[in-house]
């Protein structure tokens, strides 16, 4: 059982005072940072740096294009009414994402109206909409009040043959027309190739070079089917970095579970913008999740990520979106998964209590969350039990705590003990020692005291139920 699931779970909350005491051990966190070669705040990756590749690395210099309200709307369960879209947009803005991408206004009349409504909210995040590489869509998009338009068209042979049916010459001509048109309206424009990793490299570099020359703000790479691996992502972004001068955005599907790792590699190779959605929702299994990306980049450079985003809002945003699309936050979600900061095994618990850095790369308090140590199970150890004894304000010697721990393990071999079970046992043990009815190693005496305690609790419960039972006829009369 874990903390966020059940208040009565068998875990000891380490309260703020104790947390401070734990952090005061002063063990250095491993991920040192330094001011980078370009004046950016950069991660110190290796002691022999700088290498040529460090000059490209944007792990500490990136922007998020949050696409819950575009890609996320393509998630099978998603239906966002206007109110929900506005709530999500405001939450993302308060979190601090640099861009919010919205569904094409060409999709439906309500999509167009919602796009206009969100543009009018006056958010700090820039508002983008996402359209096909087509003048009809572009004409509608530029009238909505967006700060920029993301244009996309498939370049792989699959999509050229089976989706839009256009060749590279036609794609290039239309791209130029659409980009120039959007630019003429004084707003940002991005050109992206769909299914980039199954497209011909020469086709890709050629069209990216063309649109860069006419002044596109960003080019986008899309792993539309989630087929790319980190090395392939690194290579393509690195190659593109040498060909265009504009910013580079990347959009990564998660079909093989690579979306976060791929995003990290894209930044290492010089990408500047990462597409995300809350909980990763999107077409099929979706794209790089906002929370997972933040966890990954926080681990690389906590100060940079903390300075950019309101991390305490992550859980609230995920809950908002989870509810809107009727899913649960996955149990193994980075940061907000319901056991993300619960430590169980005795070896872990001891070290965590001495210094949380031993088994934590993310600090729960930076995300407005709490660390827990789970105690009532057979993998527990006397150090974890001691911390609970101290929280309860009981005075036991180490020898006595070890004796009580042995009893917890014995009981937990039959079933996991709730926090209440553990607390009762420790209180009974303590009062037995105080009264002289118990000494270390007197298992039978302890069993007797526990039996007595359970009986008196059962009697109290019965006594409490009694008035309700007698009251029933009165209310029904
Ligand atoms: C990989 C991605 O996620 S890209 C973003 C996906 N987003 C969307 O699809 C937005 C929601 N879509 C919609 O509302 C509709 O599909 C619309 C309004 C865009 C188009 O609807 P329809 O005109 O009914 O066409 P339909 O959806 O059946 O087919 C797509 C059309 O766009 C064309 N097309 C597909 N991709 C592109 C592109 N990137 N650029 C230009 N044209 C394209 C197809 O050839 C097809 O044209 P056709 O009408 O000549 O057959
Ligand atoms: O516009 C883009 O870059 C990406 C479009 C998309 O959703 C995809 O290719 O999966
Ligand atoms: Zn996508």
């Amino acid at each position: 059982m874990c903390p966020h699931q059940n208040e009565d779970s068998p875990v000891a909350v380490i309260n703020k005072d104790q947390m401070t005491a734990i952090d005061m051990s002063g063990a250095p966190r491993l991920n040192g940072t330094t001011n980078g070669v370009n004046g950016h705040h950069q991660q110190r990756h290796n002691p022999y740096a700088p290498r040529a590749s460090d000059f490209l690395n944007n792990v500490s210099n990136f922007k998020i294009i949050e696409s819950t309200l575009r890609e996320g709307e393509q998630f099978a369960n998603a239906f966002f009414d206007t109110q929900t879209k506005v709530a999500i947009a405001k939450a993302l803005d308060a979190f601090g994402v640099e861009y919010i991408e919205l569904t094409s206004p060409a999709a439906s009349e309500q999509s167009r109206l919602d796009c206009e409504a969100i543009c009018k909210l006056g958010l700090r995040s820039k508002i983008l909409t996402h359209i096909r590489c087509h003048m009809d869509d572009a004409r509608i998009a530029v009238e909505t009040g967006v700060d920029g338009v993301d244009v996309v068209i498939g370049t792989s042979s699959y999509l050229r043959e089976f989706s839009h049916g256009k060749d590279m010459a036609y794609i290039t001509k239309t791209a130029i027309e659409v980009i120039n048109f959007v630019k003429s309206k004084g707003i940002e424009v991005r050109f992206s190739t769909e299914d980039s990793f199954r497209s011909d490299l020469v086709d890709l570099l050629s069209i990216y070079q063309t649109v860069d020359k006419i002044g596109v703000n960003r080019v986008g790479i899309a792993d539309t089917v989630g087929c790319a691996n980190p090395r392939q992502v690194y290579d393509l972004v690195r190659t593109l970095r040498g060909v265009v001068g504009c910013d580079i955005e990347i959009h990564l599907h998660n079909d093989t579970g690579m979306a976060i790792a791929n995003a990290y590699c894209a930044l290492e190779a010089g990408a500047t913008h990462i597409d995300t959605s809350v909980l990763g929702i999107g077409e099929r299994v979706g794209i790089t999740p906002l929370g997972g990306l933040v966890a990954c980049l926080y681990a690389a450079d906590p100060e940079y990520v903390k300075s950019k985003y309101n991390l305490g809002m992550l859980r609230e945003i995920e809950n908002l979106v989870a509810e809107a699309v009727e899913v649960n936050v996955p149990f193994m979600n980075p940061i907000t998964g319901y056991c993300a900061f619960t430590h169980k095994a005795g070896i872990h618990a001891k070290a965590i209590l001495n210094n949380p850095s031993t088994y934590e790369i993310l600090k729960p308090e930076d995300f407005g969350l709490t660390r827990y140590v789970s105690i009532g199970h057979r993998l527990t150890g006397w150090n974890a039990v001691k911390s609970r004894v101290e929280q309860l304000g009981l005075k036991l010697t180490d020898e006595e705590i070890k004796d009580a721990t042995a009893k917890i393990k014995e009981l937990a071999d039959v079933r996991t003990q709730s926090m209440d079970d553990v607390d009762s046992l420790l209180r009974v043990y303590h009062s037995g020692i105080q009264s002289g009815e118990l000494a270390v190693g007197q298992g039978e005496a302890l069993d007797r005291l526990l039996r007595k305690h359970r009986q008196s609790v059962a009697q109290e419960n019965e006594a409490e139920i009694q008035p309700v039972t007698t009251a029933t006829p009165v209310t029904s009369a």
Side-chain angles (χ1 to χ4, degrees), residues 71 251 253 287:
E71 177 76 46
H251 178 95
H253 275 265
I287 62 168

Side-chain angles (χ1 to χ4, degrees), residues 376-392:
H377 51 81
R378 61 165 71 134
L379 308 183
T380 202
W382 77 276
N383 290 281
V385 174
K386 182 176 181 179
S387 80
R388 188 60 184 168
V389 166
E390 286 166 359
Q391 282 182 340
L392 295 174

Side-chain angles (χ1 to χ4, degrees), residues 68-381:
T68 301
L69 295 176
R70 194 283 290 177
E71 177 76 46
E73 206 180 3
Q74 295 173 225
F75 174 51
N77 263 18
F79 168 79
F80 300 137
D81 59 20
T82 310
Q83 205 188 345
T84 307
K85 284 188 190 176
V86 167
I88 293 173
K90 283 183 174 170
L92 290 170
D93 180 58
F95 180 78
V97 298
E98 288 84 355
Y99 290 88
I100 294 173
E101 188 181 60
L102 306 178
T103 292
S104 171
S108 72
E109 179 57 6
Q110 193 58 51
S111 302
R112 191 183 68 77
L113 293 171
D114 291 345
C115 184
E116 284 185 352
I118 290 170
C119 289
K120 286 192 187 120
L121 293 174
L123 303 178
R124 273 167 309 169
S125 310
K126 287 188 181 176
I127 307 298
L128 304 169
T129 192
H130 185 261
I131 61 164
R132 293 174 296 179
C133 186
H134 199 292
M135 282 301 290
D136 289 352
D137 289 11
R139 285 193 197 92
I140 303 169
V142 298
E143 296 303 323
T144 56
V146 289
D147 299 298
V149 177
D150 286 346
V151 180
V152 69
I153 187 156
T155 44
S156 67
S157 58
Y158 284 111
L159 297 181
R160 281 194 277 130
E161 188 174 347
F162 299 108
S163 174
H164 51 69
K166 305 293 190 284
D167 61 17
M168 285 308 296
Y170 181 93
I171 292 171
T172 308
K173 181 173 141 302
T174 315
I176 293 170
E177 190 185 4
V178 170
I179 290 163
N180 282 333
F181 173 71
V182 176
K183 265 168 61 79
S184 76
K185 302 293 174 183
I187 57 178
E188 282 188 23
V189 59
R190 180 224 67 181
F191 174 82
S192 183
T193 64
E194 197 185 331
D195 205 7
S196 316
F197 288 88
R198 296 191 301 174
S199 301
D200 179 85
L201 183 61
V202 175
D203 286 347
L204 281 186
L205 298 181
S206 157
I207 194 160
Y208 285 136
Q209 206 166 32
T210 302
V211 298
D212 184 39
K213 278 200 187 117
I214 64 168
V216 81
N217 294 83
R218 293 184 302 287
V219 289
I221 293 173
D223 182 16
T224 305
V225 296
C227 63
N229 66 43
R231 192 183 50 74
Q232 290 167 329
V233 169
Y234 187 93
D235 285 350
L236 183 54
V237 176
R238 175 83 177 82
T239 305
L240 182 58
R241 189 63 290 169
V243 169
V244 296
C246 63
D247 284 340
I248 299 176
E249 173 181 338
I250 193 146
H251 178 95
L252 298 154
H253 275 265
N254 203 28
D255 297 70
T256 65
M258 292 282 194
I260 297 172
N262 282 348
Y264 186 85
C265 278
L267 289 175
E268 283 197 308
T272 54
H273 294 65
I274 305 286
D275 288 9
T276 66
S277 68
V278 176
L279 297 173
I281 59 168
E283 204 77 45
R284 307 183 307 282
V285 295
I287 62 168
T288 310
L290 176 66
L293 182 73
V294 162
C296 166
L297 296 172
Y298 168 106
D301 189 346
E303 295 312 317
Y304 178 69
V305 173
K306 279 198 281 181
S307 72
K308 270 163 82 78
Y309 303 116
N310 183 357
L311 300 181
M313 283 195 64
L314 188 62
R315 190 166 178 199
E316 180 187 326
I317 294 176
E318 290 190 343
N319 287 343
L320 175 69
V321 172
E323 197 177 320
V325 299
E326 297 177 350
V327 299
N328 293 320
V329 173
F331 74 92
M332 74 304 195
N333 216 35
I335 304 168
T336 55
Y338 83 117
C339 288
F341 296 111
T342 297
H343 304 274
K344 181 172 174 183
I347 294 168
H348 289 236
K350 177 187 175 176
I352 277 285
L353 288 161
N354 283 332
N355 180 344
S357 290
T358 49
Y359 286 105
E360 271 175 8
I361 197 67
L362 312 171
K363 286 186 181 179
E365 59 269 31
D366 284 345
F367 301 89
L369 299 171
T370 306
R371 173 182 303 113
Y372 295 84
V373 173
S374 171
I375 296 178
H377 51 81
R378 61 165 71 134
L379 308 183
T380 202

